[in-house]
Amino acid sequence: LSPPTPRRTPHHITKGATGMNIARNAALWAGCPVTTSGATINRFCSSGLQAVASAAHTVLAEGSPVAIGGGVDSISLCQPGMVKGVVTEKKLMKTYPGIWMPMINTADIVAERYGVSREDLDQYSLLSQQRTAAAQAAGLYDAEIAPMDTVMNVVDRETKEVSRVEVTVTHDDCNRPDTTYEALAGMTPIMRFKKDGSDLNPNATVTAGNASQLSDGAAAQVVMEEKLAQQKGIEALGIFKGFVVGGCEPDEMGIGPAVAVPRLLSRHGLTVDDIDLWELNEAFAVVALENQRRLGIDPEKMNVNGGSISIGEWGALRPYHIISGDIERPRCTPLADGDGHLALDIRRGTACAATATATATATATATA
């Protein structure tokens, strides 16, 4: 029997701001052949890390010669009015209501529950700004940034008129090198008061200054088998060594790295002291601080070139934060999100390259 003619063409779910299957679209836009496939992955803040791990796994387990893992975070497309909200599930709402809790609330919970002071949060945030500024001045970010032409909305502060200006993005411009501790300490916690001025959470500590910058950004890393890299004369940034996922209570999602890291180290016969460089997600200052304290990480080895507080949470996606300028130093990149918690062990060497990534509500794995 002939099927009936549809009255309208059905449409698949397009995933809103992630742009259809953004992995496939990005691969084609970049000039990859049409035979290149793509898969868009969602593990919230850890999506980019998951994408690179998935790319490495296709090389290791499936024999793919080359794969690309990357991530994209467009905060400007996730503002109120663009996001229609979420649908809760009755049983989970009763047992794990923290699943739907805004991340800022979970950060306040972690700070209060485990005694991380507001002073420590602000001092760490100042350090993040200072380290980013120093890294920029030293040119440590230059090699990882590809200039890109785009259009920027510019708001006139007096008239509030919005104009569109063509610009070429060549560097991160959202960090604030002139930040002072006094300015950070003077900020009111975001969840301190209700809109009418009445008390909401007198114990709130998260401010705009000790949380990650709201930024747009994207990055990608190429992963390939060692012999192919040598044949093509490609110098590797590092070697993909391991990947672990762990979970914790949803209302304190920020401590996930403290669950994942010990698993990763144990599987490789390593200890925290064996790792020379750490890149720990700075979604909030309390995330970096509480995990650093739980894991016993030397602060001088962690986020040495700044992090998400100064240049946005997407910044954890970029490998040169911990790789540029180093030759043979073990490194680990743990991060936290509302779904799972990941860690990636990277060692610089002469074999195939994979890089630590993290971030995004949508990330890409493209496989040749």
Side-chain angles (χ1 to χ4, degrees), residues 116-128:
V116 185
S117 70
R118 167 69 187 275
E119 180 182 359
D120 285 348
L121 299 181
D122 291 340
Q123 290 285 8
Y124 180 83
S125 300
L126 176 62
L127 180 62
S128 178

Side-chain angles (χ1 to χ4, degrees), residues 35-334:
T35 52
T36 303
S37 62
T40 298
I41 299 169
N42 182 8
R43 199 186 276 276
F44 291 94
C45 306
S46 300
S47 299
L49 184 56
Q50 178 70 64
V52 170
S54 297
H57 292 161
T58 63
V59 174
L60 292 169
E62 304 297 336
S64 177
V66 181
I68 301 170
V72 55
D73 209 359
S74 185
I75 296 297
S76 61
L77 291 180
C78 298
Q79 298 303 303
M82 295 183 179
V83 181
K84 294 183 179 180
V86 296
V87 177
T88 60
E89 197 280 326
K90 291 182 179 179
K91 180 179 178 179
L92 285 175
M93 179 56 80
K94 291 180 180 179
T95 54
Y96 293 103
I99 290 175
W100 289 277
M101 182 180 292
M103 285 195 297
I104 189 172
N105 294 72
T106 70
D108 277 331
I109 286 174
V110 170
E112 181 179 359
R113 188 174 290 172
Y114 300 111
V116 185
S117 70
R118 167 69 187 275
E119 180 182 359
D120 285 348
L121 299 181
D122 291 340
Q123 290 285 8
Y124 180 83
S125 300
L126 176 62
L127 180 62
S128 178
Q129 294 284 356
Q130 292 172 337
R131 285 178 167 177
T132 295
Q136 287 177 328
L140 298 183
Y141 290 161
D142 295 349
E144 67 177 274
I145 299 176
M148 184 182 70
D149 296 330
T150 187
V151 178
M152 179 174 65
N153 287 344
V154 178
V155 180
D156 187 291
R157 293 193 176 187
E158 294 183 0
T159 66
K160 306 302 180 183
E161 182 180 353
V162 179
S163 58
R164 295 172 64 82
V165 179
E166 293 184 357
V167 297
T168 299
V169 178
T170 59
H171 63 281
D172 291 293
D173 60 4
C174 55
N175 59 301
R176 303 183 180 186
D178 58 349
T179 298
T180 65
Y181 173 76
E182 290 71 25
L184 292 171
M187 293 183 176
T188 301
I190 298 169
M191 304 304 293
R192 176 64 180 86
F193 299 106
K194 297 179 181 179
K195 290 183 178 180
D196 62 6
S198 59
D199 276 345
L200 178 60
N201 180 4
N203 297 317
T205 52
V206 175
T207 70
N210 59 41
S212 57
Q213 177 73 232
L214 298 180
S215 305
D216 292 351
Q221 289 82 47
V222 177
V223 182
M224 66 177 64
E225 200 275 335
E226 176 183 5
K227 291 182 180 178
L228 181 59
Q230 292 174 344
Q231 290 172 3
K232 293 184 174 294
I234 296 173
E235 181 183 0
L237 292 174
I239 308 170
F240 181 92
K241 284 291 186 177
F243 175 81
V244 168
V245 181
C248 62
E249 289 293 335
D251 69 347
E252 54 180 34
M253 66 91 196
I255 66 171
V259 179
V261 168
R263 293 181 184 177
L264 180 72
L265 297 178
S266 176
R267 293 177 187 180
H268 289 267
L270 299 171
T271 68
V272 168
D273 292 336
D274 291 323
I275 306 300
D276 289 331
L277 291 171
W278 294 83
E279 174 83 356
L280 214 158
N281 187 20
E282 291 181 357
F284 303 94
V286 68
V287 171
L289 281 178
E290 181 59 18
N291 284 288
Q292 176 257 317
R293 291 173 179 177
R294 288 183 177 223
L295 294 168
I297 297 172
D298 182 347
E300 296 302 314
K301 295 181 179 180
M302 186 179 80
N303 298 351
V304 295
N305 292 330
S308 304
I309 288 173
S310 51
I311 54 175
E313 192 174 15
W314 90 276
L317 181 74
R318 290 165 17 184
Y320 273 78
H321 286 349
I322 54 174
I323 289 178
S324 180
D326 299 304
I327 304 301
E328 294 284 351
R329 305 182 70 183
R331 67 224 50 236
C332 185
T333 298

